[in-house]
Amino acid sequence: MYFLSGWPKRLLCPLGSLAEAPCHVQSDPQRTFFAVLAPARLSIWYSRPSVLIVTYKEPAKSSSQFGSYKEAEWRPDSTMIAVSTANGYILFFHITSTRGDKYLYEPVYPKGSPQMKGTPHFKEEQCAPALNLEMKKILDLQSPIMSLQSVLEDLLVATSDGLLHLIHWEGMTNGRKAINLCTVPFSVDLQSSRVGSFLGFADVHIRDMEYCATLDGFAVVFNDGKVGFITPVSSRFTAEQLHGVWPQDVVDGTCVAVNNKYRLMAFGCASGSVQVYTIDNTTGAMLLSHKLELTAKQYPDIWNKTGAVKLVRWSPDNSVVIVTWEYGGLSLWSVFGAQLICTLGGDFAYRSDGTKKDPLKINSMSWGAEGYHLWVISGFGSQNTEIESDPNSIGKQPGILLFQFIKSVLTVNPCMSNQEQVLLQGEDRLYLNCGEASQTQNPRSSSAHSEHKPSQEKNSFADGGLESQGLSTLLGHRHWHVVQISSTYLESNWPIRFSAIDKLGQNIAVVGKFGFAHYSLLTKKWKLFGNITQEQSMIVTGGLAWWKDFIVLACYNINDRQEELRVYLRTSNLDNAFAHVTKAQAETLLLSVFRDMVIVFRADCSICLYSIERKSDGPNTTAGIQVLQEVSMSRYIPHPFLVVSVTLTSVSTENGITLKMPQQARDAESIMLNLAGQLIMMQRDRSGPQIREKDSNQRKLLPFCPPVVLAQSVENVWTTCRANKQKRHLLEALWLSCGGAGMKVWLPLFPRDHRKPHSFLSQRIMLPFHINIYPLAVLFEDALVLGAVNDTLLYDSLYTRNSAREQLEMLFPFCVVERTSQIYLHHILRQLLVRNLGEQALLLAQSCSTLPYFPHVLELMLHEVLEEEATSREPIPDPLLPTVAKFITEFPLFLQTVVHCARKTEYALWNYLFAAVGNPKDLFEECLMAQDLDTAASYLIILQNMEVPAVSRQHATLLFNTALEQGKWDLCRHMIRFLKAIGSGESETPPSTPTAQEPSSSGGFEFFRNRSISLSQSAENVPASKFSLQKTLSMPSGPSGKRWSKDSDCAENMYIDMMLWRHARRLLEEVRLKDLGCFAAQLGFELISWLCKERTRAARVDNFVIALKRLHRDFLWPLPIIPASSISSPFKNGKFRTVGEQLLKSQSADPFLNLEIDAGISNVQRSRSWLNNIGPAHHEIDTASSHGPQMQDAFLSPLSNKGDECSIGSATDLTESSSMVDGDWTVVDENFSTLSLTQSELEHISMELASKGPHKSQVQLRYLLHIFLEAGCLDWCIVIGLILRESSVINQILVIIQSSEVNGEMLQNIKTGLHAVDRWASTDCPGYKPFLNIIKPQLQKLNEITEEQVQPEAFQPITVGKTPEQSSPRVEESRGSSGHGSIPQSEVGGSSMVSRKEEDTAGAEEEESFQDGTYDCSVS
C-alpha cells in the first residue's frame, strides 16, 4: 500500500571533507525538522522545503574529548536534542528561534496576488524558520552509549556496562540510580507462578531498544543476540519493578523497531530475516506473529547473501515497515508481512546491459511527514579509497537521499474500504482508477482525461462486453487518473493527511493540516473555504467520508475548543454557514458511513451511531444528524489508539434465512472493529423478544452482543451493503486482507432450494487464499481484486558507463505505479471443494458463470491443482483433481477447459490429467457430437502426442470430413497440413507450411464471401494486395505435383486428394453448387481439372428439373412469374432505343465494357469477348472472332414477327442496365425525362426486378458458369443459363457444341433434360415458358445436331453466319435499334481487353475473373 515514485532526490549537503559526511538522521516527533549528524557537527534540516537551517560545528579540541557524534534523540516538544558521542558523553542542545519574524526562506509572490494578504500563520506555514542551536549541558556516563530513547518526559540511555540510565531532559539524573540489567528477572511469560531467571552474565548490555507506548515497555536486543521485552510491573520505574520476557528461539538479533498501533516488535536478525513478535494478552509471553524474509524463489541469487538486518523502521501511520541490510538494499513490507518493494532484484539490481549494480548501502534512515518521504543517509563505506582518489564521484559519497512514496488511502482513512475504487494519495496529487467514470455520464468531459492515456492504449477491456457490468470504469487501462491537489490549499496545509472519494468516483475530498478541500472530476475544479479563518480554525481528527452529496467529517474547533461532527453539502459554497454541526463529547478517532448511518469511534473507547438524512429547509439543503445508539467498548479495548478501523456491516452469522424478518438481513447487523489486527465482530442481539413499537418509524435499535474474534493479522476489511439475489455468496461475504498470509473471505453458506439448513452446519466459513497482488479494493459482483504494483523503467542508457559523475538516474530506475487486478474465484471454489462443500461451490460458480473470464477461472483451478498434485514428491492420500474434474463437467465449457489446460501444461503431466478427466479419444468424439470442431482439433494435437499415428490419422480424417461438411474452411486447411505432417513422419515437429500453389480459379468465392459489394463500388476499388494475400494463404489442394514441396510424401497427398474428390463428388451429386464453389475457392481445389475428368460421371446432370429447383433454393433466386400486363407488351414500338444508345456511349470509355452488360452488344459478340476473357481461348472461337463484320450485318433484322412474351427478356436488359453505377445515373435520368412510362410499363419493370436474385448470387452463378464452360460440362452450363434466363448463354453453348467435338451422350442428356424442363414449366412453373419459347429455335437446332450427329467442323463457316439470324428475338427486339455507331466502340473495348489479357500472366488472369464478378455485381 506504499509505492515508490520517481527517482530519489539528493539534497545538497555543504560537504567540506569526508569527515563531515552525514552519518545519522533523526526526525522530530512532528516530522517537521530533521537532525543530521556528522562525526563533528549537528545540522537541523526543514522538511518542506527540504533545506538546511542551522549547523553546530564542534571545535577540534572538544571533539577529540567527546569523540564523534553517534546518535540523536529529540525531546517530545522539539525544543531540545540529546546527542550521544563515542566516548560516553551526552550533549544537550537547545533549539531557539531567533528574535523577530526572521525567516531563512520566504515565498515571493507577484504584486497583488491573493496570497499576500490576510492569511493567518502565513509566515510559519510557508517559510523555513531561522533557528539557533546552542549546547546547554554535557553529561558524562563514562562508558560507550549503545542506545538513546525518549520516554515521555525522560531520556532512557543504555550503556555498554549493562546499565540503564533514566535521565531528565534538563540533564539531571534526578538522583535515580541506574538500573543494572543483571538484576532484572527474565522469564518466558509473566505468569506469577514462575520466577524469572536473571541474565546472570557480567558482560550483558543492551545493543538496541525502543519504547512501545501501547504495550508500556521496551523491546530490547542484547549484545549476545537475544531479544526481549522489559515492562515495569507497576508505574514506578526501578529495578525491582521491572520484569522481562523473552522468546527462546532468537539468538541472532541485531536491531528492533516497535509498531504502537498494532503492538508489534520487529527484531532484525543476523540471518537477514526480520522476526515480528507480539505480546500474548493473557500470559504476557512473546508470540511470533510472522517473519519478513526474502524467498529463494523470488530472489534466487541474493536471498541468503544480504548480510544481517541493519535497520528496521515503521512508517508514521504504522502500516508499513522498511528494512535494510548490511550489504545494502531496501525492502518494504506491509504490517503483516506482504512484500511491497525490494531493491535487490530487477532493475534496481541490474543495469540495462545485464551487469550487476552495487546495492545502495544505507547508514541511517527516517520517515518524513505522513510517510511521503524517506530520508536516507547513503553510505558507500567500502569504497573510501576510491572516493578520496576521485573527488567528483558524487554518487559514491555519503549524502542525504529523499525517496518519495505514494500510499493507499486505506492506510489513513479506512472508511474507504466500503468503496470499489482504488485511491492513492501522494504528497501533492491523487491517483484514481476511476477517471473514466465521469466520461460515461458526462459527454463533455470525454477529452479531459486524454492527457493520462496514450492513444494506443485505448481501453481494449472496456470496449467489449463488460460495459454493462460497470467493469470498464474500474478496470480500464493501466494508467491512473491523476488529480493535482490545489496548490493554494497545499501551501498553508501541507501535508495531506486524509482523502476520500464518493461512491460514484466523481468527487474527492482531501484534508491537510487545517480544514479541507474538495474536487469534482466532472467540472475539474477545486472548491476551497471562502473564509480562510474558518479553514484554519478546524482540524479534522477522525477522517472523512462521503454520504451522497455530503461530506461528513469529525473535527476539532480551535476557536470554541470543541469536538464536532460536521456535514457539508458539496454543491453549496464551502462555508460553515452551510454546514450542519453536531457537538461531540470526546475526540473522534475514526469515522465511517454505512447506508444512512454514520459510525464514529471516540478517544474514550465508545462507539456512537448516528442517523443522517437530507433536509431541505427553504433554499438551503442540509443534512440532519441524530444520535441513534452509543456502545461503550472500554472493557474490550486496552488503548483507543489500537483501533485500526471500525465499520458497520450487514454481515451476521445468521444468513437471513433464519431471521424472523428477512428484510432485516441487509440492515446494519454488526460492527466490525479491527483492534491491532484482530477483527472483532459485535452482532445485534436478536435473542430477546422483538417487540415492534406502535409507530414503525421509531423502531428501537437492538443492543449488541459481546464481541467475537473473527480473524487475526487483519490489515483491511471490505464489505458491501448492496444486495443481489443472483450473487448472494459474493455480496454477503466479508473480505479480509491479511498481509503475508494472503486474503480471507468469510463466505455465507446457503442451503439449496431454501431447504431448512442443518443445525450442525455452520452458516459461514472462513476460507484463506493467496493472490499475487496487494489488494486495495474488491469488486464484489465481478469476483475481482483491484490493486497497484510498482514498476520500474531504466534510463541508464542515457549516460555513459564510465562518466565521472554517477548520476542518481544511473543508480536507480524510475519508479511508476501500475494498476493491476486479479481473479480470485478459482481459489474460493477450490477451497470449498477441499472442504467437501461441492454444492456450495456449484451454486457460487453458477452465479458467476456469466462473467467474461469464467472459462479462465475453471481453467486456472484445474491447472493449479494439476501442477501441484502431478509434481508432488510423495503420494497424495486424498487427491483433489478427480473432484475438480467432476466439478467442471457440470459446465458446458468442460471440453474446452480440459483441452486448454492440457495444452498449457507440459506433456509429462498429461497422463495424470486424463486419468482424472477421461480418455482424450472419448473427449474428442464428444466434441464431434457436440459439433465443437475447434475444440476437437485441439484434442487432435493431444491424441497425436499420446497415440500411435494410425489413431491420430483416423481421428483427423473424421474431423476433416466433418469440417468439410460444415464448411469450416480454416480448419480444413489446418487439417490438410496436419494429415500431411502425420504422413511424412513429422509427427513430433510442427508441419512445414506448403509452398504457394500456382494460381488457379480459387479466390472467386472467397472474394464474394469476404466482401460485401455495394452498388457504388467498382472493381477498381478492390486492392490488389487482397488478392495476392489470399493466394498465398489459401491452402493448396489439387494435383500433387503443383501443390506440395518436392520432398512430400506422394501417398499422403493422394490420400488427401481422394478425400477432397469424394467430397466434391458428393456436393455435385446432391446438386450443392454453392457449397462446391465455396469449397473450391477456400481450399484452392482445382475444380476445372477435376470436372474435366468427371465430365461424364459425377459432373453430369441427371435430373435438370431437380437441379434447377435446387439452384433456385441455394442461390435465393426467385422462380419467374408471368405478369398480368404482359399480354399487351409496351416494348414493341422501340421507345427505348435512345436509352440503349446513350448507355452504350456512356460506357464505351470503360475497359470493362465487354462484361455482361446487356446494353446493346450482339450476343455472339458478347459471348466471344466473355470467353476470351476467361481462361485459355478456344480455337473455334478465335476463328469465329475473325468474322466480326458479318455478325454486325446480321443485326439489322426487322422487329415485327415475334410474340408478345418476348418483351420479358428486353425488360430484364433495361432494368439491368439502368441500375448503373452512380456516375452514370444522371445520363439515364436525362433520357427518362423524355419518356413517358405508363403504369403497365413500370409494373413490368418492377416485375422483372422482383424475378432477379441477390447481386452476390448472380456473380457466383456467372463464375460457376465460367468454370463449367472451361471444364466442358455443358449440361451444367445449360442449367445455369436457364436460371439466369439468358439466351446468350444458351447460344454460346450451342456454338461450342456445333464447333467442337462433343460427346454424343452429353448431347442426348442435354436434350432430354431440356425437354423435361419444358414439361415441368408447362405444368408447375409457367414463368419459365416465355424464356423457353425464346430459345425454342436453338432447341430445334440441338435436335438436328443430335439426330444427324454430323461433324461440327463442316458447319463451322455457315454457323458463324447463321447464328445471328437464328439468335433470339429478344436480341433483335431490344438491340436492333442501337445502330451501327455503337458497334465499333464495343469492338475497341473488347479487343483492347483481349490483347491485354494475352499479355497477362496466369495470376492476373485469376484477378480478372474476380473483377468480372465485381463489376457485374456493381452494375446489376
Side-chain angles (χ1 to χ4, degrees):
M1 47 178 113
Y2 269 62
F3 306 97
L4 269 175
S5 169
W7 278 299
K9 293 184 203 164
R10 188 193 300 282
L11 298 188
L12 289 171
C13 288
L15 283 180
S17 68
L18 230 171
E20 295 168 359
C23 62
H24 182 83
V25 61
Q26 183 67 43
S27 70
D28 77 328
Q30 282 74 46
R31 299 182 197 274
T32 316
F33 299 103
F34 289 80
V36 177
L37 296 183
R41 55 169 64 194
L42 164 67
S43 314
I44 306 291
W45 288 70
Y46 194 57
S47 62
R48 178 184 158 97
S50 306
V51 288
L52 176 63
I53 294 174
V54 62
T55 299
Y56 174 89
K57 192 173 179 186
E58 191 66 57
K61 186 183 169 191
S62 52
S63 178
S64 60
Q65 179 199 342
F66 298 146
S68 57
Y69 292 176
K70 288 293 177 202
E71 238 186 293
E73 187 66 33
W74 291 77
R75 186 171 173 162
D77 59 2
S78 301
T79 55
M80 283 179 80
I81 296 176
V83 176
S84 63
T85 67
N87 298 344
Y89 290 87
I90 293 181
L91 315 177
F92 289 90
F93 292 89
H94 270 235
I95 301 174
T96 54
S97 60
T98 48
R99 297 174 187 284
D101 60 351
K102 188 176 167 209
Y103 289 90
L104 290 178
Y105 298 90
E106 293 190 7
V108 179
Y109 294 108
K111 275 187 182 162
S113 72
Q115 282 94 338
M116 289 292 285
K117 39 190 179 290
T119 313
H121 321 297
F122 166 73
K123 290 286 192 230
E124 301 95 290
E125 300 300 341
Q126 315 255 333
C127 326
L131 301 177
N132 273 350
L133 262 183
E134 49 182 323
M135 192 192 291
K136 273 291 171 71
K137 194 156 186 76
I138 301 164
L139 191 65
D140 183 5
L141 293 178
Q142 291 161 357
S143 71
I145 293 162
M146 302 311 293
S147 182
L148 278 181
Q149 187 71 37
S150 170
V151 180
L152 309 174
E153 282 307 303
D154 295 310
L155 189 66
L156 190 66
V157 184
T159 52
S160 64
D161 53 6
L163 297 178
L164 268 178
H165 302 268
L166 204 62
I167 300 167
H168 198 266
W169 267 105
E170 296 308 320
M172 278 103 53
T173 54
N174 283 4
R176 288 193 228 177
K177 244 176 48 214
I179 298 162
N180 190 338
L181 287 174
C182 297
T183 62
V184 176
F186 273 80
S187 61
V188 179
D189 56 35
L190 285 180
Q191 286 182 331
S192 50
S193 58
R194 303 178 195 172
V195 178
S197 60
F198 298 99
L199 290 171
F201 310 116
D203 58 349
V204 167
H205 62 260
I206 289 176
R207 183 172 164 178
D208 191 16
M209 64 176 179
E210 195 171 334
Y211 176 65
C212 180
T214 49
L215 284 171
D216 192 26
F218 307 91
V220 292
V221 177
F222 296 108
N223 59 326
D224 61 353
K226 284 204 164 66
V227 300
F229 179 71
I230 299 175
T231 175
V233 179
S234 70
S235 55
R236 306 218 17 246
F237 205 92
T238 56
E240 301 79 58
Q241 295 297 328
L242 290 180
H243 192 287
V245 288
W246 57 12
Q248 301 283 320
D249 44 0
V250 183
V251 289
D252 61 345
T254 55
C255 55
V256 65
V258 298
N259 184 328
N260 281 308
K261 197 171 197 68
Y262 288 89
R263 294 173 120 182
L264 297 173
M265 296 167 275
F267 295 100
C269 301
S271 65
S273 68
V274 176
Q275 311 227 18
V276 185
Y277 278 87
T278 180
I279 296 283
D280 187 329
N281 287 335
T282 49
T283 64
M286 285 177 73
L287 299 174
L288 179 67
S289 165
H290 57 278
K291 282 185 184 181
L292 312 177
E293 53 190 352
L294 301 180
T295 59
K297 191 176 174 188
Q298 286 173 297
Y299 301 96
D301 48 348
I302 193 79
W303 64 281
N304 54 0
K305 305 184 185 71
T306 54
V309 175
K310 188 167 185 182
L311 294 167
V312 182
R313 293 279 181 273
W314 290 97
S315 65
D317 57 22
N318 292 296
S319 60
V320 294
V321 62
I322 198 152
V323 177
T324 178
W325 295 276
E326 207 65 57
Y327 299 148
L330 266 181
S331 64
L332 187 71
W333 310 75
S334 76
V335 62
F336 288 110
Q339 185 188 315
L340 301 168
I341 299 164
C342 179
T343 67
L344 291 178
D347 289 344
F348 288 101
Y350 296 94
R351 297 185 183 88
S352 50
D353 59 4
T355 52
K356 206 162 173 14
K357 294 187 237 190
D358 290 327
L360 171 75
K361 293 210 169 76
I362 294 173
N363 289 341
S364 175
M365 57 184 176
S366 183
W367 284 96
E370 293 293 322
Y372 292 126
H373 293 201
L374 181 74
W375 290 58
V376 165
I377 307 281
S378 61
F380 292 86
S382 59
Q383 294 131 323
N384 285 348
T385 52
E386 182 194 328
I387 293 171
E388 281 153 21
S389 66
D390 179 7
N392 290 330
S393 171
I394 291 186
K396 295 281 186 254
Q397 288 182 5
I400 305 173
L401 297 180
L402 249 66
F403 285 89
Q404 303 168 70
F405 287 94
I406 300 167
K407 61 179 183 176
S408 161
V409 177
L410 297 176
T411 56
V412 283
N413 194 21
C415 80
M416 275 296 302
S417 63
N418 61 355
Q419 310 279 341
E420 299 190 353
Q421 276 93 10
V422 177
L423 179 60
L424 306 182
Q425 60 187 50
E427 180 186 20
D428 59 350
R429 65 196 64 191
L430 299 170
Y431 294 77
L432 295 85
N433 74 330
C434 53
E436 310 91 90
S438 48
Q439 294 184 355
T440 53
Q441 277 139 28
N442 184 354
R444 278 181 311 151
S445 66
S446 56
S447 60
H449 305 287
S450 54
E451 65 269 31
H452 303 300
K453 339 176 181 175
S455 55
Q456 74 270 18
E457 278 256 0
K458 278 294 181 250
N459 179 0
S460 58
F461 207 169
D463 296 341
L466 301 182
E467 209 67 63
S468 56
Q469 305 183 14
L471 261 179
S472 54
T473 52
L474 295 170
L475 284 181
H477 42 65
R478 296 170 67 196
H479 299 278
W480 297 93
H481 184 76
V482 183
V483 174
Q484 205 73 32
I485 295 169
S486 158
S487 54
T488 318
Y489 181 73
L490 267 182
E491 260 171 6
S492 48
N493 297 294
W494 185 90
I496 295 299
R497 295 183 300 131
F498 307 111
S499 55
I501 187 167
D502 68 347
K503 271 271 194 287
L504 293 172
Q506 297 190 352
N507 301 293
I508 312 167
V510 295
V511 170
K513 202 168 181 179
F514 300 104
F516 74 100
H518 61 86
Y519 175 81
S520 160
L521 280 141
L522 294 178
T523 62
K524 307 270 175 292
K525 286 201 176 98
W526 280 95
K527 204 174 260 193
L528 276 61
F529 270 97
N531 183 345
I532 211 148
T533 16
Q534 290 186 5
E535 178 189 278
Q536 299 292 320
S537 67
M538 67 183 278
I539 300 176
V540 176
T541 56
L544 77 165
W546 286 88
W547 177 76
K548 294 182 178 164
D549 247 2
F550 295 91
I551 299 156
V552 185
L553 48 84
C555 65
Y556 176 68
N557 185 334
I558 299 172
N559 297 347
D560 304 352
R561 298 187 181 168
Q562 170 70 47
E563 300 289 344
E564 294 173 345
L565 196 63
R566 297 188 183 180
V567 185
Y568 291 85
L569 179 63
R570 175 182 69 82
T571 48
S572 63
N573 287 346
L574 201 44
D575 194 295
N576 292 347
F578 300 111
H580 179 279
V581 180
T582 307
K583 291 190 169 145
Q585 282 74 48
E587 183 189 350
T588 302
L589 298 181
L590 292 163
L591 170 145
S592 176
V593 173
F594 174 86
R595 292 203 174 158
D596 298 339
M597 291 169 93
V598 179
I599 179 170
V600 297
F601 176 75
R602 303 205 190 108
D604 59 1
C605 293
S606 66
I607 289 174
C608 188
L609 301 179
Y610 294 92
S611 70
I612 178 169
E613 57 179 351
R614 199 189 193 96
K615 286 187 177 167
S616 305
D617 42 310
N620 302 337
T621 303
T622 58
I625 280 191
Q626 289 174 327
V627 178
L628 288 178
Q629 195 170 5
E630 292 208 31
V631 186
S632 171
M633 297 290 291
S634 49
R635 287 168 53 196
Y636 311 109
I637 297 174
H639 196 290
F641 183 63
L642 295 173
V643 178
V644 181
S645 70
V646 59
T647 37
L648 264 177
T649 72
S650 51
V651 171
S652 68
T653 48
E654 305 286 313
N655 275 340
I657 300 162
T658 49
L659 291 180
K660 298 185 173 112
M661 287 167 289
Q663 77 271 17
Q664 290 179 349
R666 305 303 284 154
D667 287 349
E669 278 299 309
S670 56
I671 294 173
M672 294 286 172
L673 201 76
N674 185 348
L675 176 65
Q678 273 197 333
L679 187 66
I680 292 172
M681 168 168 144
M682 298 193 317
Q683 294 193 77
R684 294 228 184 258
D685 186 357
R686 295 196 176 276
S687 56
Q690 297 191 25
I691 302 159
R692 297 291 294 269
E693 304 284 318
K694 290 275 195 308
D695 182 6
S696 60
N697 295 336
Q698 296 297 313
R699 190 168 79 238
K700 197 162 174 288
L701 285 168
L702 297 171
F704 286 94
C705 301
V708 181
V709 176
L710 284 187
Q712 305 282 356
S713 310
V714 176
E715 292 180 8
N716 283 313
V717 185
W718 293 272
T719 153
T720 180
C721 56
R722 291 200 308 276
N724 179 341
K725 281 210 173 65
Q726 272 69 49
K727 297 191 178 178
R728 287 187 61 187
H729 280 94
L730 295 177
L731 283 172
E732 294 181 27
L734 184 72
W735 305 90
L736 317 175
S737 150
C738 301
M743 284 187 78
K744 290 183 181 169
V745 56
W746 201 36
L747 201 68
L749 302 178
F750 299 109
R752 205 163 191 170
D753 316 322
H754 306 293
R755 275 180 261 164
K756 192 159 168 36
H758 295 296
S759 52
F760 59 84
L761 274 183
S762 148
Q763 297 201 353
R764 277 184 179 268
I765 188 166
M766 188 72 81
L767 304 172
F769 61 93
H770 275 272
I771 59 169
N772 304 332
I773 62 174
Y774 188 87
L776 296 176
V778 175
L779 299 184
F780 303 97
E781 288 100 330
D782 302 312
L784 276 179
V785 172
L786 302 184
V789 67
N790 250 120
D791 200 7
T792 50
L793 305 165
L794 276 176
Y795 285 96
D796 57 3
S797 52
L798 304 177
Y799 301 91
T800 52
R801 283 286 307 281
N802 50 7
S803 63
R805 300 162 64 89
E806 274 245 341
Q807 302 286 344
L808 280 174
E809 291 81 22
M810 269 293 290
L811 294 169
F812 295 100
F814 186 80
C815 294
V816 289
V817 186
E818 295 277 340
R819 294 164 53 170
T820 170
S821 58
Q822 202 169 339
I823 303 169
Y824 56 74
L825 196 58
H826 56 291
H827 296 296
I828 298 178
L829 295 176
R830 182 178 167 182
Q831 292 286 349
L832 287 169
L833 292 176
V834 168
R835 291 164 173 72
N836 285 327
L837 292 168
E839 198 173 73
Q840 297 293 326
L842 200 57
L843 286 174
L844 173 57
Q846 282 163 350
S847 72
C848 297
S849 58
T850 52
L851 291 176
Y853 34 80
F854 183 71
H856 186 53
V857 169
L858 295 181
E859 203 180 307
L860 272 175
M861 176 164 71
L862 185 62
H863 186 77
E864 283 177 13
V865 176
L866 172 66
E867 289 271 311
E868 273 175 42
E869 296 190 358
T871 54
S872 84
R873 300 270 169 83
E874 53 275 346
I876 299 162
D878 188 15
L880 186 62
L881 190 63
T883 318
V884 171
K886 187 163 180 287
F887 176 76
I888 295 175
T889 51
E890 296 287 331
F891 296 92
L893 302 160
F894 165 67
L895 293 164
Q896 71 192 60
T897 304
V898 170
V899 79
H900 287 176
C901 175
R903 292 192 62 184
K904 290 173 191 167
T905 316
E906 54 188 305
Y907 172 64
L909 311 183
W910 285 4
N911 284 327
Y912 189 82
L913 171 66
F914 288 109
V917 297
N919 188 325
K921 284 193 276 194
D922 301 342
L923 298 175
F924 173 84
E925 280 158 21
E926 277 184 50
C927 291
L928 279 186
M929 282 164 65
Q931 303 285 311
D932 185 358
L933 302 191
D934 293 330
T935 309
S938 297
Y939 275 107
L940 202 52
I941 293 167
I942 287 162
L943 285 171
Q944 180 200 2
N945 285 303
M946 295 181 75
E947 301 282 348
V948 293
V951 174
S952 43
R953 172 195 291 229
Q954 179 194 347
H955 285 82
T957 310
L958 260 176
L959 180 57
F960 185 36
N961 285 331
T962 318
L964 281 173
E965 196 48 51
Q966 294 195 7
K968 297 272 174 71
W969 306 119
D970 279 341
L971 185 56
C972 291
R973 287 194 277 269
H974 289 308
M975 292 312 303
I976 290 173
R977 200 181 73 203
F978 183 81
L979 283 163
K980 173 86 190 60
I982 296 179
S984 48
E986 299 169 353
S987 51
E988 295 314 307
T989 58
S992 57
T993 314
T995 52
Q997 87 277 32
E998 207 173 293
S1000 69
S1001 52
S1002 77
F1005 270 76
E1006 201 161 342
F1007 178 71
F1008 305 142
R1009 224 191 52 204
N1010 294 336
R1011 275 186 83 89
S1012 55
I1013 302 172
S1014 69
L1015 273 176
S1016 58
Q1017 264 179 346
S1018 78
E1020 287 120 3
N1021 303 1
V1022 183
S1025 61
K1026 183 161 176 75
F1027 298 116
S1028 56
L1029 180 81
Q1030 295 197 329
K1031 272 176 233 165
T1032 50
L1033 279 185
S1034 62
M1035 186 52 67
S1037 137
S1040 315
K1042 284 183 188 175
R1043 250 189 19 244
W1044 303 104
S1045 44
K1046 293 183 180 63
D1047 60 339
S1048 60
D1049 189 6
C1050 249
E1052 200 53 49
N1053 292 332
M1054 202 57 209
Y1055 178 67
I1056 294 166
D1057 282 349
M1058 291 299 291
M1059 283 199 281
L1060 292 171
W1061 293 342
R1062 193 170 64 219
H1063 184 65
R1065 199 173 293 125
R1066 268 195 56 211
L1067 292 177
L1068 263 184
E1069 280 165 4
E1070 294 173 15
V1071 201
R1072 287 162 56 188
L1073 279 203
K1074 188 162 189 169
D1075 294 349
L1076 181 71
C1078 287
F1079 160 72
Q1082 290 287 351
L1083 297 185
F1085 180 70
E1086 300 201 341
L1087 199 51
I1088 296 177
S1089 57
W1090 180 77
L1091 284 172
C1092 286
K1093 282 190 284 187
E1094 294 286 328
R1095 197 179 302 167
T1096 54
R1097 296 195 295 273
R1100 53 175 292 195
V1101 186
D1102 294 330
N1103 187 327
F1104 273 58
V1105 177
I1106 289 177
L1108 203 57
K1109 284 181 182 171
R1110 188 69 58 84
L1111 287 184
H1112 272 291
R1113 192 189 69 198
D1114 284 358
F1115 287 92
L1116 306 174
W1117 202 269
L1119 286 165
I1121 46 176
I1122 295 184
S1125 61
S1126 65
I1127 291 92
S1128 60
S1129 165
F1131 290 97
K1132 284 185 177 167
N1133 49 9
K1135 254 189 209 176
F1136 296 103
R1137 282 174 206 185
T1138 45
V1139 183
E1141 264 177 54
Q1142 192 70 41
L1143 284 172
L1144 195 60
K1145 281 174 191 162
S1146 68
Q1147 283 298 317
S1148 59
D1150 198 306
F1152 287 94
L1153 185 66
N1154 54 338
L1155 299 182
E1156 295 280 70
I1157 305 169
D1158 303 349
I1161 312 166
S1162 98
N1163 287 313
V1164 180
Q1165 165 87 25
R1166 262 172 56 250
S1167 65
R1168 196 187 71 218
S1169 56
W1170 164 252
L1171 268 166
N1172 280 342
N1173 244 346
I1174 40 180
H1178 294 284
H1179 164 73
E1180 294 79 25
I1181 295 175
D1182 283 344
T1183 53
S1185 66
S1186 62
H1187 294 273
Q1190 292 126 306
M1191 293 190 197
Q1192 291 161 17
D1193 295 341
F1195 258 75
L1196 305 168
S1197 52
L1199 276 169
S1200 55
N1201 58 355
K1202 298 297 174 229
D1204 285 338
E1205 354 29 308
C1206 32
S1207 59
I1208 294 177
S1210 52
T1212 315
D1213 293 338
L1214 183 70
T1215 49
E1216 260 185 347
S1217 54
S1218 54
S1219 56
M1220 200 44 84
V1221 266
D1222 296 350
D1224 303 315
W1225 187 235
T1226 49
V1227 181
V1228 180
D1229 261 0
E1230 286 165 20
N1231 284 295
F1232 268 145
S1233 60
T1234 62
L1235 310 172
S1236 49
L1237 279 176
T1238 63
Q1239 163 99 33
S1240 60
E1241 291 163 10
L1242 275 170
E1243 201 177 295
H1244 212 112
I1245 291 170
S1246 61
M1247 286 300 300
E1248 279 304 325
L1249 278 173
S1251 66
K1252 273 270 188 286
H1255 299 298
K1256 199 171 171 182
S1257 296
Q1258 188 169 356
V1259 179
Q1260 289 173 347
L1261 282 167
R1262 290 183 191 282
Y1263 177 73
L1264 283 171
L1265 177 63
H1266 145 219
I1267 295 280
F1268 283 124
L1269 261 177
E1270 288 224 350
C1273 299
L1274 300 180
D1275 40 4
W1276 273 114
C1277 298
I1278 296 274
V1279 174
I1280 296 171
L1282 284 173
I1283 197 169
L1284 289 173
R1285 294 205 299 291
E1286 286 185 11
S1287 53
S1288 60
V1289 175
I1290 311 286
N1291 279 352
Q1292 185 182 328
I1293 294 160
L1294 287 173
V1295 169
I1296 293 171
I1297 289 175
Q1298 290 167 337
S1299 63
S1300 63
E1301 187 73 64
V1302 175
N1303 187 335
E1305 200 179 317
M1306 181 183 279
L1307 285 179
Q1308 196 56 46
N1309 190 31
I1310 291 174
K1311 185 179 153 190
T1312 50
L1314 282 171
H1315 283 305
V1317 171
D1318 197 28
R1319 286 197 300 279
W1320 167 71
S1322 311
T1323 56
D1324 292 352
C1325 184
Y1328 260 115
K1329 284 304 276 184
F1331 179 65
L1332 290 171
N1333 290 344
I1334 290 172
I1335 60 168
K1336 205 164 253 174
Q1338 282 90 321
L1339 297 187
Q1340 284 161 4
K1341 187 76 189 162
L1342 184 67
N1343 288 345
E1344 289 166 24
I1345 295 172
T1346 45
E1347 283 159 19
E1348 296 167 20
Q1349 281 295 320
V1350 280
Q1351 289 300 310
E1353 281 85 356
F1355 286 94
Q1356 198 178 314
I1358 314 158
T1359 323
V1360 174
K1362 264 188 197 165
T1363 311
E1365 291 162 22
Q1366 295 175 335
S1367 70
S1368 77
R1370 156 186 173 213
V1371 174
E1372 293 167 35
E1373 212 171 346
S1374 59
R1375 305 213 174 69
S1377 60
S1378 61
H1380 294 283
S1382 61
I1383 303 300
Q1385 294 172 337
S1386 71
E1387 192 64 15
V1388 170
S1391 58
S1392 68
M1393 192 65 173
V1394 173
S1395 59
R1396 204 180 97 204
K1397 199 67 199 169
E1398 286 158 10
E1399 289 160 17
D1400 268 332
T1401 58
E1405 172 190 316
E1406 183 181 3
E1407 210 166 296
E1408 297 292 338
S1409 71
F1410 293 156
Q1411 291 179 339
D1412 292 358
T1414 347
Y1415 194 78
D1416 260 326
C1417 196
S1418 57
V1419 168
S1420 43

